[in-house]
Amino acid sequence: MSVAGTMASRRDSQTSSMKPSVLIVEDETALVELLRYNLEQSGFKVVVAGDGEEALAAAQEDVPDIILLDWMLPLMSGIEVCRQLRRQTSTANVPIIMLTARGEEGDRIRGLDAGADDYVSKPFSPTELVARIRAVLRRIRPALADEALSYADIVMDLVAHRVIRAGKPVHLGPTEFRLLRHFMEHPGRVFSREQLLDSVWGKDVYVEARTVDVHIRRLRMALNGESQADLIRTVRAAGYALDSTPG
Ligand code: CA
């Protein structure tokens, strides 16, 4: 097996969980534990940072799907952390919900100005917060909030890790599953091999661009079976897209 293949399969085992990840940035241990418990119960993967520096490092290392950011943090304020997250390319589009004891309208506006997507005032119920997280995810990345994706005659059950096409099960390897998921989260959009490598394999993994072609071929074979229409469009010199429109 090539070095690239070994690295790719190691990555597979690391990221086989499809749970959306939440980065909690909060210094109050009791609240962190309450949030961690409720979020894990609701199917999220939880990462915790106790201050701004730690949060920026954690978000950089493994970009979360959503960030819960407390306003009152030691050393660096939540607002400043929010601004810095927005300035970095990798976290510029990650949804951020700010948590704060302050309920004033002015603070709310400052938070949103700094790039927060939503705002929750303390005290809040964990149930309400989980609902807000789902609402933000649904708005920003619809696929993460729901448990299934569908496109044309393909249905992807994200909880059971099952794919069905035209009523029949499709067996996919972990990389093909993530590749298909990425396409189904952005139907019609053309991705270059490099973009697919970054999103599906991860930025810290060095595999050759043609590895993408190999997995696309496997995905096509698994999806199309004997006679199904090919829903993966090859765009010359550009990349690939999930597209059911002919031509
Ligand atoms: Ca705090």
Side-chain angles (χ1 to χ4, degrees):
M1 194 185 232
S2 69
V3 173
T6 314
M7 291 176 80
S9 44
R10 196 174 64 214
R11 180 84 191 179
D12 282 348
S13 61
Q14 282 172 352
T15 56
S16 58
S17 161
M18 303 304 267
K19 291 177 178 180
S21 58
V22 183
L23 172 62
I24 302 175
V25 191
E26 167 65 274
D27 56 321
E28 246 173 273
T29 327
L31 182 56
V32 167
E33 288 319 309
L34 180 72
L35 290 175
R36 184 205 288 279
Y37 175 80
N38 280 279
L39 288 165
E40 284 178 352
Q41 289 291 306
S42 308
F44 291 90
K45 182 185 156 222
V46 174
V47 176
V48 175
D51 63 49
E53 296 272 333
E54 220 180 286
L56 294 171
Q60 202 64 10
E61 194 185 312
D62 199 358
V63 180
D65 293 311
I66 190 161
I67 299 172
L68 292 183
L69 178 57
D70 188 37
W71 184 296
M72 301 294 280
L73 291 169
L75 311 172
M76 194 192 295
S77 76
I79 284 283
E80 185 50 31
V81 177
C82 188
R83 281 200 196 100
Q84 295 207 22
L85 287 166
R86 285 294 173 251
R87 248 179 267 147
Q88 289 174 356
T89 326
S90 59
T91 51
N93 299 312
V94 176
I96 298 173
I97 298 181
M98 290 212 63
L99 306 178
T100 179
R102 313 176 182 212
E104 296 97 26
E105 189 64 15
D107 287 340
R108 193 187 178 91
I109 290 163
R110 274 178 69 205
L112 298 175
D113 272 355
D117 296 280
D118 202 357
Y119 189 105
V120 174
S121 298
K122 291 178 187 173
F124 50 80
S125 79
T127 320
E128 180 204 343
L129 185 67
V130 170
R132 296 284 277 276
I133 291 175
R134 289 202 195 282
V136 169
L137 286 177
R138 201 170 296 126
R139 196 170 75 223
I140 293 165
R141 287 188 66 187
L144 278 176
D146 297 321
E147 300 184 329
L149 289 171
S150 64
Y151 182 77
D153 56 357
I154 307 172
V155 179
M156 248 188 140
D157 181 332
L158 301 176
V159 178
H161 273 232
R162 265 197 306 254
V163 177
I164 290 177
R165 180 159 191 201
K168 293 204 182 96
V170 175
H171 301 287
L172 297 178
T175 304
E176 287 72 39
F177 189 93
R178 290 207 305 276
L179 199 50
L180 179 62
R181 178 182 180 150
H182 188 69
F183 282 127
M184 291 190 61
E185 285 173 349
H186 312 90
R189 218 167 104 190
V190 179
F191 292 99
S192 68
R193 289 170 180 80
E194 288 71 24
Q195 285 169 329
L196 290 172
L197 281 175
D198 278 356
S199 312
V200 178
W201 278 259
K203 283 196 173 65
D204 50 340
V205 174
Y206 297 93
V207 289
E208 289 174 63
R210 65 161 188 243
T211 304
V212 175
D213 301 337
V214 172
H215 289 279
I216 289 276
R217 201 177 315 133
R218 285 187 199 156
L219 177 59
R220 273 192 170 126
M221 277 168 62
L223 272 183
N224 301 346
E226 298 289 299
S227 54
Q228 304 271 14
D230 189 5
L231 295 181
I232 298 183
R233 186 158 59 95
T234 304
V235 184
R236 235 166 254 298
Y240 298 101
L242 181 68
D243 198 346
S244 63
T245 55

